[in-house]
Amino acid sequence: MNRPFDLHRTIASLHQARISLVLETADVCFLISLRERGDRLSLASFEEDLLVDAFLQVCELTDPGAENPRKRATHAIQRLREQRLLARVDGAGLIRAGEYALTRLATAVVDFYLADDALTRDSLTVLTKTLLSQLADIKSAASRARDEDAWRRLVVEPLRVTVADLVSGIERRQRGLDAQQEEVRARIASLLQSDWFGAVDACESLLDQTSTTLRELNEVLLQDAAHLQALLQDIEQLAADFPHASAEQAAQRVAEHVDRVSAWGSDRLRAWSDYYQYVHRYLRDVVRLDPDRAISQRLREQIGSWLDHPFALGLAHVPSIRLLREVDASPERPPVTRLRQELESPLEEVAPHDARAALRERVLACLQSGATSLSEVVARVLPDVPERERYRATGSVTATVGLDPRARSASVRPWVSVAGGLQLEDWSLEDPEPSR
Amino acid sequence: MTDHGYERLEEVIQDPVFPEVDLALRAGQHVDADDADRYAFLVAAQPLLEPLYIRYGAELVRAPDGFFFLLPRGDRLGRRHLSTGEMLLGQTLALMYLDPATVQAAGVVSRAQAMELLANLVGEQRLIAALNPRRRRHHEHVSHELARKELDRALRSLSTLGFIEILDEEKVRLRSPLMRFAEPVRGLADPSAALQRLARRGLVDLLELGPSEEPPEEGDEG
């Protein structure tokens, strides 16, 4: 199953690997020359001598006086290998001269520059018919598939590889046709610039040819896309019933691809139709009415002298109708007043809370209950006091205990730990001795 | 409505497209074939609308290039003429419309191209002076800024009037009504004689450019 594409990870890894592609004109020509030889001689790979020979030929054509062409060939081969445009396929290392093949990247570069794969009615018909036949086979296999292995071999893989490749083939040719259209547009502009009135017929012919091609392609796409989608839906349904998630996803992906391909037809036809109308209007209103191309020159002069002989086009200028608001008898509104409230809220009677008095009460209660030392009183009282007030409270307790007549302080007072990590110099609480 | 058009004015007025076309024409807009619905309506209703607008003292003009616009002839309907910025830019865009180089992109050009061509044709200093008509001396960059703003305003106005279509911040599509700017030079006659003829028909107004040409802006001194 395909792993989901992670753009960030991919970009990060490309950046880390410092991927770059630097191709000189000679390199591109070299690749094209290799592709041509491969096609002509039915070669899947090229021996090193053949590579050098191809490069020397390119060099002769592009740079006849170049010095050390063999050395340049070696460098070029090395450069293309480093950029993964040529791959060594024999695996023999230093034992013998190598064999090389063009990589996918090199093939794509060559395809781009050759651009001979534009979509035609015939190529599209062949491709869609093949696609229909493949999908019919896959549907039949899907209806018979009873286990995971059968689904993978007979449905998922063919959908992923064969069918996807066929649809990609159509897309690639569509891009080729897009490039052709661009060329036609550029050619029409260039014909008009060079031959003006004489170019009208040639321009109309170019427009009509492309329009016919696009209309035919769109017809084929509209007709066959519906069949393709129906077959794909059947396959998807069979996969959902089995159930087989990968097959379902693969069918969905191909269906999206087919949608894109058929949308291309209507999009391009619409865009071309706009262009077609524009150019026809241009030929009719501008070129035919101004066969000597004099209006442009005269208009140029008019603009240059406009500030000396100004004029302005007249236009209708009726301001928008002013719409008055509908009259609405205003309802009686109560005067705006502030909510009345007492300036001072009445006082509430609450019981007084004197923390110091309460503490004193608790200390006296401890003393009455027979506490024998200051530390004992403090230890009994402090747990009820919030922690941050304990230090101050200890002082208050000591002051209250100090007033008790039983309090005795030894000349050397022992340090005693009380609650909360406090230590104090202890006093004892002794009853007074009876008088003699 | 019949296959060939409307038979009675009532049918024209009952058509849902009528109010917006009528308002557009009265606001000075030009309607061309790119505006398919409104254009088709006008083509079909033209024979019945022409007498209607004559009663308002205006002419429903169908130009040789096919587009429609309304031209007031009396004082029953309001009338204005294009400003200096609109005229200069409009003529430049018309020149670009005629240029076969713009055919490749189906008449889509960039604002920058239009401004550059205008500056080349008129001369930068003259252009800035023409677009800052109150003769008050400004710092150079202020004058440039004012001229740029005036041209931006002109571009938006030309788009509202149907001469061009603004596609985005940078691109505009040229439309056939731009050919109105080339009207004085379309025939073989002397351009000033052609202008006089157009002025008599009410299609153009002959101007005297001066400090009072542009109304003072709000909040401006003097």
PDB file of all heavy atoms in Angstrom, chain A residues 166-189:
ATOM      1  N   LEU A 166      -1.908   4.216 -17.752  1.00  0.00           N
ATOM      2  CA  LEU A 166      -2.667   4.596 -18.954  1.00  0.00           C
ATOM      3  C   LEU A 166      -3.283   5.985 -18.786  1.00  0.00           C
ATOM      4  O   LEU A 166      -3.211   6.823 -19.690  1.00  0.00           O
ATOM      5  CB  LEU A 166      -3.781   3.570 -19.213  1.00  0.00           C
ATOM      6  CG  LEU A 166      -3.346   2.283 -19.911  1.00  0.00           C
ATOM      7  CD1 LEU A 166      -4.446   1.241 -19.840  1.00  0.00           C
ATOM      8  CD2 LEU A 166      -2.999   2.564 -21.366  1.00  0.00           C
ATOM      9  N   VAL A 167      -3.869   6.215 -17.599  1.00  0.00           N
ATOM     10  CA  VAL A 167      -4.483   7.531 -17.360  1.00  0.00           C
ATOM     11  C   VAL A 167      -3.400   8.612 -17.366  1.00  0.00           C
ATOM     12  O   VAL A 167      -3.587   9.695 -17.928  1.00  0.00           O
ATOM     13  CB  VAL A 167      -5.272   7.539 -16.031  1.00  0.00           C
ATOM     14  CG1 VAL A 167      -5.943   8.881 -15.826  1.00  0.00           C
ATOM     15  CG2 VAL A 167      -6.331   6.451 -16.032  1.00  0.00           C
ATOM     16  N   SER A 168      -2.240   8.285 -16.760  1.00  0.00           N
ATOM     17  CA  SER A 168      -1.137   9.254 -16.768  1.00  0.00           C
ATOM     18  C   SER A 168      -0.685   9.532 -18.193  1.00  0.00           C
ATOM     19  O   SER A 168      -0.290  10.651 -18.526  1.00  0.00           O
ATOM     20  CB  SER A 168       0.051   8.746 -15.965  1.00  0.00           C
ATOM     21  OG  SER A 168      -0.334   8.572 -14.647  1.00  0.00           O
ATOM     22  N   GLY A 169      -0.734   8.488 -19.037  1.00  0.00           N
ATOM     23  CA  GLY A 169      -0.371   8.653 -20.450  1.00  0.00           C
ATOM     24  C   GLY A 169      -1.273   9.678 -21.120  1.00  0.00           C
ATOM     25  O   GLY A 169      -0.813  10.517 -21.886  1.00  0.00           O
ATOM     26  N   ILE A 170      -2.573   9.589 -20.814  1.00  0.00           N
ATOM     27  CA  ILE A 170      -3.509  10.575 -21.397  1.00  0.00           C
ATOM     28  C   ILE A 170      -3.156  11.973 -20.879  1.00  0.00           C
ATOM     29  O   ILE A 170      -3.086  12.933 -21.639  1.00  0.00           O
ATOM     30  CB  ILE A 170      -4.976  10.226 -21.027  1.00  0.00           C
ATOM     31  CG1 ILE A 170      -5.350   8.858 -21.591  1.00  0.00           C
ATOM     32  CG2 ILE A 170      -5.931  11.291 -21.560  1.00  0.00           C
ATOM     33  CD1 ILE A 170      -6.741   8.388 -21.217  1.00  0.00           C
ATOM     34  N   GLU A 171      -2.902  12.056 -19.567  1.00  0.00           N
ATOM     35  CA  GLU A 171      -2.594  13.376 -18.974  1.00  0.00           C
ATOM     36  C   GLU A 171      -1.332  13.975 -19.588  1.00  0.00           C
ATOM     37  O   GLU A 171      -1.264  15.173 -19.845  1.00  0.00           O
ATOM     38  CB  GLU A 171      -2.411  13.241 -17.463  1.00  0.00           C
ATOM     39  CG  GLU A 171      -3.701  13.387 -16.714  1.00  0.00           C
ATOM     40  CD  GLU A 171      -3.477  13.639 -15.240  1.00  0.00           C
ATOM     41  OE1 GLU A 171      -2.524  13.048 -14.669  1.00  0.00           O
ATOM     42  OE2 GLU A 171      -4.241  14.404 -14.661  1.00  0.00           O
ATOM     43  N   ARG A 172      -0.333  13.090 -19.788  1.00  0.00           N
ATOM     44  CA  ARG A 172       0.928  13.582 -20.353  1.00  0.00           C
ATOM     45  C   ARG A 172       0.683  14.144 -21.750  1.00  0.00           C
ATOM     46  O   ARG A 172       1.175  15.216 -22.104  1.00  0.00           O
ATOM     47  CB  ARG A 172       1.930  12.426 -20.406  1.00  0.00           C
ATOM     48  CG  ARG A 172       3.315  12.810 -20.845  1.00  0.00           C
ATOM     49  CD  ARG A 172       4.311  11.755 -20.402  1.00  0.00           C
ATOM     50  NE  ARG A 172       3.897  10.421 -20.828  1.00  0.00           N
ATOM     51  CZ  ARG A 172       4.077   9.929 -22.058  1.00  0.00           C
ATOM     52  NH1 ARG A 172       4.647  10.665 -22.982  1.00  0.00           N
ATOM     53  NH2 ARG A 172       3.706   8.712 -22.360  1.00  0.00           N
ATOM     54  N   ARG A 173      -0.132  13.446 -22.518  1.00  0.00           N
ATOM     55  CA  ARG A 173      -0.429  13.932 -23.870  1.00  0.00           C
ATOM     56  C   ARG A 173      -1.278  15.194 -23.818  1.00  0.00           C
ATOM     57  O   ARG A 173      -1.188  16.061 -24.679  1.00  0.00           O
ATOM     58  CB  ARG A 173      -1.127  12.825 -24.668  1.00  0.00           C
ATOM     59  CG  ARG A 173      -0.158  11.741 -25.070  1.00  0.00           C
ATOM     60  CD  ARG A 173      -0.871  10.548 -25.649  1.00  0.00           C
ATOM     61  NE  ARG A 173       0.069   9.570 -26.144  1.00  0.00           N
ATOM     62  CZ  ARG A 173       0.721   8.698 -25.391  1.00  0.00           C
ATOM     63  NH1 ARG A 173       0.542   8.701 -24.083  1.00  0.00           N
ATOM     64  NH2 ARG A 173       1.561   7.829 -25.909  1.00  0.00           N
ATOM     65  N   GLN A 174      -2.128  15.298 -22.784  1.00  0.00           N
ATOM     66  CA  GLN A 174      -2.905  16.533 -22.626  1.00  0.00           C
ATOM     67  C   GLN A 174      -1.969  17.720 -22.411  1.00  0.00           C
ATOM     68  O   GLN A 174      -2.168  18.798 -22.973  1.00  0.00           O
ATOM     69  CB  GLN A 174      -3.860  16.418 -21.427  1.00  0.00           C
ATOM     70  CG  GLN A 174      -5.067  15.541 -21.716  1.00  0.00           C
ATOM     71  CD  GLN A 174      -5.964  15.377 -20.510  1.00  0.00           C
ATOM     72  OE1 GLN A 174      -5.536  15.537 -19.371  1.00  0.00           O
ATOM     73  NE2 GLN A 174      -7.208  15.041 -20.754  1.00  0.00           N
ATOM     74  N   ARG A 175      -0.948  17.489 -21.597  1.00  0.00           N
ATOM     75  CA  ARG A 175       0.011  18.576 -21.359  1.00  0.00           C
ATOM     76  C   ARG A 175       0.736  18.933 -22.658  1.00  0.00           C
ATOM     77  O   ARG A 175       1.036  20.094 -22.921  1.00  0.00           O
ATOM     78  CB  ARG A 175       1.000  18.185 -20.261  1.00  0.00           C
ATOM     79  CG  ARG A 175       0.376  18.206 -18.873  1.00  0.00           C
ATOM     80  CD  ARG A 175       1.429  18.176 -17.794  1.00  0.00           C
ATOM     81  NE  ARG A 175       2.132  16.898 -17.752  1.00  0.00           N
ATOM     82  CZ  ARG A 175       1.709  15.841 -17.056  1.00  0.00           C
ATOM     83  NH1 ARG A 175       0.609  15.914 -16.347  1.00  0.00           N
ATOM     84  NH2 ARG A 175       2.382  14.715 -17.068  1.00  0.00           N
ATOM     85  N   GLY A 176       1.003  17.897 -23.461  1.00  0.00           N
ATOM     86  CA  GLY A 176       1.624  18.141 -24.767  1.00  0.00           C
ATOM     87  C   GLY A 176       0.739  19.015 -25.634  1.00  0.00           C
ATOM     88  O   GLY A 176       1.205  19.942 -26.293  1.00  0.00           O
ATOM     89  N   LEU A 177      -0.576  18.731 -25.599  1.00  0.00           N
ATOM     90  CA  LEU A 177      -1.505  19.528 -26.403  1.00  0.00           C
ATOM     91  C   LEU A 177      -1.604  20.958 -25.861  1.00  0.00           C
ATOM     92  O   LEU A 177      -1.722  21.918 -26.635  1.00  0.00           O
ATOM     93  CB  LEU A 177      -2.888  18.866 -26.407  1.00  0.00           C
ATOM     94  CG  LEU A 177      -3.854  19.421 -27.435  1.00  0.00           C
ATOM     95  CD1 LEU A 177      -3.323  19.223 -28.842  1.00  0.00           C
ATOM     96  CD2 LEU A 177      -5.205  18.755 -27.314  1.00  0.00           C
ATOM     97  N   ASP A 178      -1.540  21.083 -24.516  1.00  0.00           N
ATOM     98  CA  ASP A 178      -1.531  22.432 -23.917  1.00  0.00           C
ATOM     99  C   ASP A 178      -0.364  23.239 -24.470  1.00  0.00           C
ATOM    100  O   ASP A 178      -0.512  24.405 -24.829  1.00  0.00           O
ATOM    101  CB  ASP A 178      -1.395  22.346 -22.391  1.00  0.00           C
ATOM    102  CG  ASP A 178      -2.703  21.921 -21.741  1.00  0.00           C
ATOM    103  OD1 ASP A 178      -3.739  21.997 -22.416  1.00  0.00           O
ATOM    104  OD2 ASP A 178      -2.669  21.516 -20.568  1.00  0.00           O
ATOM    105  N   ALA A 179       0.794  22.578 -24.527  1.00  0.00           N
ATOM    106  CA  ALA A 179       1.986  23.277 -25.035  1.00  0.00           C
ATOM    107  C   ALA A 179       1.788  23.647 -26.498  1.00  0.00           C
ATOM    108  O   ALA A 179       2.170  24.741 -26.931  1.00  0.00           O
ATOM    109  CB  ALA A 179       3.212  22.381 -24.869  1.00  0.00           C
ATOM    110  N   GLN A 180       1.142  22.734 -27.253  1.00  0.00           N
ATOM    111  CA  GLN A 180       0.881  23.036 -28.671  1.00  0.00           C
ATOM    112  C   GLN A 180      -0.026  24.252 -28.817  1.00  0.00           C
ATOM    113  O   GLN A 180       0.178  25.100 -29.685  1.00  0.00           O
ATOM    114  CB  GLN A 180       0.205  21.842 -29.333  1.00  0.00           C
ATOM    115  CG  GLN A 180       1.180  20.909 -29.981  1.00  0.00           C
ATOM    116  CD  GLN A 180       0.462  19.872 -30.845  1.00  0.00           C
ATOM    117  OE1 GLN A 180      -0.734  19.957 -31.073  1.00  0.00           O
ATOM    118  NE2 GLN A 180       1.218  18.895 -31.280  1.00  0.00           N
ATOM    119  N   GLN A 181      -1.046  24.318 -27.935  1.00  0.00           N
ATOM    120  CA  GLN A 181      -1.968  25.468 -28.000  1.00  0.00           C
ATOM    121  C   GLN A 181      -1.237  26.770 -27.740  1.00  0.00           C
ATOM    122  O   GLN A 181      -1.485  27.784 -28.376  1.00  0.00           O
ATOM    123  CB  GLN A 181      -3.063  25.319 -26.955  1.00  0.00           C
ATOM    124  CG  GLN A 181      -4.150  24.378 -27.358  1.00  0.00           C
ATOM    125  CD  GLN A 181      -5.184  24.289 -26.257  1.00  0.00           C
ATOM    126  OE1 GLN A 181      -5.585  25.289 -25.689  1.00  0.00           O
ATOM    127  NE2 GLN A 181      -5.575  23.086 -25.947  1.00  0.00           N
ATOM    128  N   GLU A 182      -0.332  26.721 -26.740  1.00  0.00           N
ATOM    129  CA  GLU A 182       0.458  27.913 -26.450  1.00  0.00           C
ATOM    130  C   GLU A 182       1.244  28.336 -27.684  1.00  0.00           C
ATOM    131  O   GLU A 182       1.359  29.514 -28.009  1.00  0.00           O
ATOM    132  CB  GLU A 182       1.432  27.630 -25.290  1.00  0.00           C
ATOM    133  CG  GLU A 182       0.867  27.905 -23.930  1.00  0.00           C
ATOM    134  CD  GLU A 182       0.406  29.339 -23.776  1.00  0.00           C
ATOM    135  OE1 GLU A 182       1.218  30.258 -23.956  1.00  0.00           O
ATOM    136  OE2 GLU A 182      -0.791  29.556 -23.508  1.00  0.00           O
ATOM    137  N   GLU A 183       1.792  27.324 -28.363  1.00  0.00           N
ATOM    138  CA  GLU A 183       2.568  27.624 -29.568  1.00  0.00           C
ATOM    139  C   GLU A 183       1.684  28.232 -30.644  1.00  0.00           C
ATOM    140  O   GLU A 183       2.078  29.161 -31.344  1.00  0.00           O
ATOM    141  CB  GLU A 183       3.228  26.353 -30.099  1.00  0.00           C
ATOM    142  CG  GLU A 183       4.500  26.007 -29.360  1.00  0.00           C
ATOM    143  CD  GLU A 183       5.015  24.631 -29.754  1.00  0.00           C
ATOM    144  OE1 GLU A 183       4.697  24.161 -30.850  1.00  0.00           O
ATOM    145  OE2 GLU A 183       5.717  24.026 -28.931  1.00  0.00           O
ATOM    146  N   VAL A 184       0.455  27.691 -30.780  1.00  0.00           N
ATOM    147  CA  VAL A 184      -0.471  28.225 -31.787  1.00  0.00           C
ATOM    148  C   VAL A 184      -0.767  29.690 -31.483  1.00  0.00           C
ATOM    149  O   VAL A 184      -0.756  30.543 -32.376  1.00  0.00           O
ATOM    150  CB  VAL A 184      -1.781  27.393 -31.820  1.00  0.00           C
ATOM    151  CG1 VAL A 184      -2.840  28.086 -32.656  1.00  0.00           C
ATOM    152  CG2 VAL A 184      -1.510  26.026 -32.394  1.00  0.00           C
ATOM    153  N   ARG A 185      -1.010  29.988 -30.194  1.00  0.00           N
ATOM    154  CA  ARG A 185      -1.290  31.378 -29.809  1.00  0.00           C
ATOM    155  C   ARG A 185      -0.115  32.287 -30.169  1.00  0.00           C
ATOM    156  O   ARG A 185      -0.296  33.373 -30.720  1.00  0.00           O
ATOM    157  CB  ARG A 185      -1.532  31.471 -28.299  1.00  0.00           C
ATOM    158  CG  ARG A 185      -2.858  30.933 -27.872  1.00  0.00           C
ATOM    159  CD  ARG A 185      -2.950  30.942 -26.365  1.00  0.00           C
ATOM    160  NE  ARG A 185      -4.244  30.482 -25.908  1.00  0.00           N
ATOM    161  CZ  ARG A 185      -4.994  31.120 -25.020  1.00  0.00           C
ATOM    162  NH1 ARG A 185      -4.572  32.232 -24.479  1.00  0.00           N
ATOM    163  NH2 ARG A 185      -6.159  30.647 -24.648  1.00  0.00           N
ATOM    164  N   ALA A 186       1.080  31.816 -29.815  1.00  0.00           N
ATOM    165  CA  ALA A 186       2.275  32.630 -30.098  1.00  0.00           C
ATOM    166  C   ALA A 186       2.428  32.799 -31.609  1.00  0.00           C
ATOM    167  O   ALA A 186       2.805  33.878 -32.093  1.00  0.00           O
ATOM    168  CB  ALA A 186       3.507  31.966 -29.502  1.00  0.00           C
ATOM    169  N   ARG A 187       2.104  31.728 -32.344  1.00  0.00           N
ATOM    170  CA  ARG A 187       2.275  31.772 -33.798  1.00  0.00           C
ATOM    171  C   ARG A 187       1.281  32.755 -34.426  1.00  0.00           C
ATOM    172  O   ARG A 187       1.633  33.503 -35.340  1.00  0.00           O
ATOM    173  CB  ARG A 187       2.066  30.366 -34.366  1.00  0.00           C
ATOM    174  CG  ARG A 187       2.662  30.241 -35.715  1.00  0.00           C
ATOM    175  CD  ARG A 187       3.028  28.848 -36.096  1.00  0.00           C
ATOM    176  NE  ARG A 187       3.004  28.801 -37.547  1.00  0.00           N
ATOM    177  CZ  ARG A 187       2.445  27.852 -38.249  1.00  0.00           C
ATOM    178  NH1 ARG A 187       1.874  26.854 -37.634  1.00  0.00           N
ATOM    179  NH2 ARG A 187       2.475  27.885 -39.560  1.00  0.00           N
ATOM    180  N   ILE A 188       0.045  32.761 -33.913  1.00  0.00           N
ATOM    181  CA  ILE A 188      -0.960  33.694 -34.445  1.00  0.00           C
ATOM    182  C   ILE A 188      -0.487  35.132 -34.218  1.00  0.00           C
ATOM    183  O   ILE A 188      -0.528  35.968 -35.134  1.00  0.00           O
ATOM    184  CB  ILE A 188      -2.336  33.445 -33.779  1.00  0.00           C
ATOM    185  CG1 ILE A 188      -2.932  32.154 -34.328  1.00  0.00           C
ATOM    186  CG2 ILE A 188      -3.285  34.611 -34.019  1.00  0.00           C
ATOM    187  CD1 ILE A 188      -4.222  31.712 -33.667  1.00  0.00           C
ATOM    188  N   ALA A 189      -0.013  35.408 -32.986  1.00  0.00           N
ATOM    189  CA  ALA A 189       0.466  36.771 -32.683  1.00  0.00           C
ATOM    190  C   ALA A 189       1.635  37.127 -33.594  1.00  0.00           C
ATOM    191  O   ALA A 189       1.709  38.252 -34.125  1.00  0.00           O
ATOM    192  CB  ALA A 189       0.879  36.856 -31.219  1.00  0.00           C
TER     193      ALA A 189
END
